[in-house]
């Protein structure tokens, strides 16, 4: 992760620069509603973290994607045009993510340890972000009446804030219980001073791409893929090693300690109750992504002002 931090910093600076340039258009628009779009996105989503995965060694990208864990994220957005090639987007998202070791298809390899671990989680996600939409092909458009010039690929980069609250299934009762208050890896315990209690509201970096098609002068549809890089390894409440379960009874109330004692190690067969045994990997931070359809409506009727846009009947 340390090797990734300089790259993430560069991405953050670039995204923020583009966003600042684009939101300056608000002061220049007066505001011309023909420069505004609003719409919704419905997107199947997946979580990439410690839980779940596929055969072999766990990874931190699409290699460990479990399609059976697909959930849905729904977003609403408003975008404002800064230039022909640059928009600023403000969006809010709500939905669910999850992960489950039981869904791993074991093939006798390194994935066996994760399947035996038998942990699971689910969490609601609420998110807000601001991002720059970059449309590089507008510089190549000469005759917008053609089909291909009504298609616009674009890239997205931004910064956001999201809230999560992981839950795990109690192996005794089958009920879903909130994991954050149980400190299952000793977060906040004095015996583990390096494991701070993680916050449930954190920063993320939305990165992605899409392709937009204008069905008319006021409506467009898009296929969009958007990854959210995060700075937390506890979205699924799994990150590092098992702790001594006796510590739950020292630092939690009796009822919580009993539940934590069941939840921290749900291994199939021999339990990993030796303090220091591997429970997760802190090498990579968690992320989640969504690929879905977006529909946008141009505000202000058919007027496009100075916006060079691929219209069916307009000629230069």
């Amino acid at each position: 992760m340390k090797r990734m931090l300089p790259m993430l910093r560069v991405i953050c600076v670039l995204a923020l620069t583009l966003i600042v340039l684009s939101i300056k258009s608000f002061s220049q628009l007066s505001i011309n509603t023909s420069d505004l779009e609003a719409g919704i996105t419905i997107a199947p989503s997946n979580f990439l973290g410690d839980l779940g995965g596929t055969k072999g060694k766990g990874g931190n990208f699409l290699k460990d994607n479990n399609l059976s864990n697909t959930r849905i994220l729904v977003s609403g957005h408003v975008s404002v045009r800064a230039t022909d090639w640059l928009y600023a987007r403000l969006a809010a998202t709500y939905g669910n993510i999850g992960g489950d070791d039981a869904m791993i298809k074991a093939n006798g390899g390194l994935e066996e340890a994760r399947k035996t671990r038998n942990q699971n989680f689910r969490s609601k996600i609420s998110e807000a972000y601001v991002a720059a939409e970059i449309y590089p092909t507008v510089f190549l458009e000469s005759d917008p009446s053609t089909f291909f010039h009504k298609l616009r690929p674009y890239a997205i980069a931004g910064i956001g804030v999201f809230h999560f609250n992981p839950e795990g299934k109690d192996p005794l009762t089958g009920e879903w219980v909130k994991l954050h208050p149980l400190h299952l890896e000793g977060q906040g315990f004095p015996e583990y001073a390096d494991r701070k209690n993680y916050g449930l509201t954190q920063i993320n970096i939305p990165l992605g791409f899409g392709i937009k098609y204008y069905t008319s002068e006021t409506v467009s549809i898009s296929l969009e893929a958007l990854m959210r890089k995060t700075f937390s390894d506890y979205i699924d409440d799994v990150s590092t090693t098992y702790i001594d379960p006796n510590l739950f009874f020292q630092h939690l109330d009796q009822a919580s300690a009993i539940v934590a004692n069941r939840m921290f190690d749900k291994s199939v067969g021999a339990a990993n109750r030796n303090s220091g045994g591997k429970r997760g990997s802190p090498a990579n931070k968690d992320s989640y992504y969504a690929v879905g359809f977006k529909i946008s409506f141009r505000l202000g009727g058919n007027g496009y002002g100075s916006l060079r846009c691929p219209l069916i009947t307009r000629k230069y």
Side-chain angles (χ1 to χ4, degrees), residues 117-134:
R117 178 179 56 190
N118 196 38
Q119 289 288 337
N120 52 50
F121 95 104
R122 70 180 187 184
S123 179
K124 296 185 184 302
I125 289 284
S126 53
E127 169 192 77
Y129 68 87
V130 59
E133 301 176 15
I134 306 164

Side-chain angles (χ1 to χ4, degrees), residues 1 30 35 46 49 83 100 107 140 145 185 189 237 279-280 305:
M1 181 61 192
S30 32
D35 289 307
N46 273 274
T83 68
D100 194 340
N107 291 284
L140 305 177
S145 65
E185 293 186 357
F189 290 178
D237 199 65
R279 189 170 187 261

Side-chain angles (χ1 to χ4, degrees), residues 7-266:
M7 182 180 297
L8 286 175
R9 292 191 185 103
V10 171
I11 292 171
C12 288
V13 171
L14 177 61
L16 287 172
T17 300
L18 291 171
I19 291 165
V20 169
L21 287 174
S22 54
I23 62 178
K24 284 176 64 178
S25 62
F26 278 111
S27 62
Q28 301 169 356
L29 287 175
S30 32
I31 291 175
N32 187 348
T33 56
S34 65
D35 289 307
L36 297 174
E37 289 184 355
I40 62 171
T41 304
I42 299 177
S45 65
N46 273 274
F47 170 76
L48 299 171
D50 286 281
L51 300 189
T54 55
K55 66 180 181 180
K57 184 178 180 180
N60 66 332
F61 197 54
L62 298 183
K63 180 265 176 190
D64 256 356
N65 182 67
N66 282 129
L67 291 179
S68 53
N69 255 328
T70 300
R71 311 293 174 90
I72 296 294
L73 295 179
V74 178
S75 298
H77 70 274
V78 175
S79 298
V80 59
R81 167 187 171 269
T83 68
D84 290 339
W85 59 271
L86 181 63
Y87 277 64
R89 179 194 298 183
L90 178 63
T93 302
Y94 182 78
N96 298 276
I97 56 174
D100 194 340
D101 288 337
M103 293 183 177
I104 298 173
K105 295 180 179 179
N107 291 284
L110 295 175
E111 76 283 347
E112 293 282 0
R114 286 180 284 129
K115 189 172 182 67
T116 299
R117 178 179 56 190
N118 196 38
Q119 289 288 337
N120 52 50
F121 95 104
R122 70 180 187 184
S123 179
K124 296 185 184 302
I125 289 284
S126 53
E127 169 192 77
Y129 68 87
V130 59
E133 301 176 15
I134 306 164
Y135 295 82
T137 61
V138 298
F139 300 105
L140 305 177
E141 294 174 3
S142 58
D143 181 4
S145 65
T146 65
F147 171 81
F148 292 105
H149 288 169
K150 290 185 288 182
L151 284 171
R152 277 187 174 172
Y154 60 93
I156 313 163
I159 187 167
V161 60
F162 72 104
H163 180 80
F164 66 102
N165 197 356
E167 298 178 330
K169 183 176 286 187
D170 189 319
L172 178 64
T173 66
E175 297 179 350
W176 290 90
V177 299
K178 295 189 184 305
L179 300 176
H180 183 260
L182 300 180
H183 308 266
L184 297 183
E185 293 186 357
Q187 307 96 317
F189 290 178
E191 292 83 357
Y192 295 92
D194 59 326
R195 301 184 189 181
K196 305 300 182 183
N197 203 16
Y198 60 89
L200 297 177
T201 300
Q202 301 206 23
I203 299 296
N204 65 9
I205 305 295
L207 298 168
F209 58 90
I211 185 164
K212 177 185 287 188
Y213 176 69
Y214 290 87
T215 62
S216 72
E217 295 187 2
T218 56
V219 180
S220 66
I221 56 176
S222 306
L223 178 64
E224 181 175 290
L226 193 60
M227 171 75 77
R228 281 78 158 183
K229 296 294 295 182
T230 81
F231 301 93
S232 173
D233 195 32
Y234 277 108
I235 295 178
D236 54 10
D237 199 65
V238 173
S239 177
T240 179
T241 60
Y242 292 95
I243 68 170
D244 181 353
N246 292 316
L247 294 177
F248 297 131
F249 296 91
Q250 294 181 30
H251 300 296
L252 304 179
D253 62 81
Q254 184 73 8
S256 297
I258 292 172
V259 176
N261 191 47
R262 292 198 299 264
M263 297 291 293
F264 93 109
D265 185 1
K266 299 189 286 186

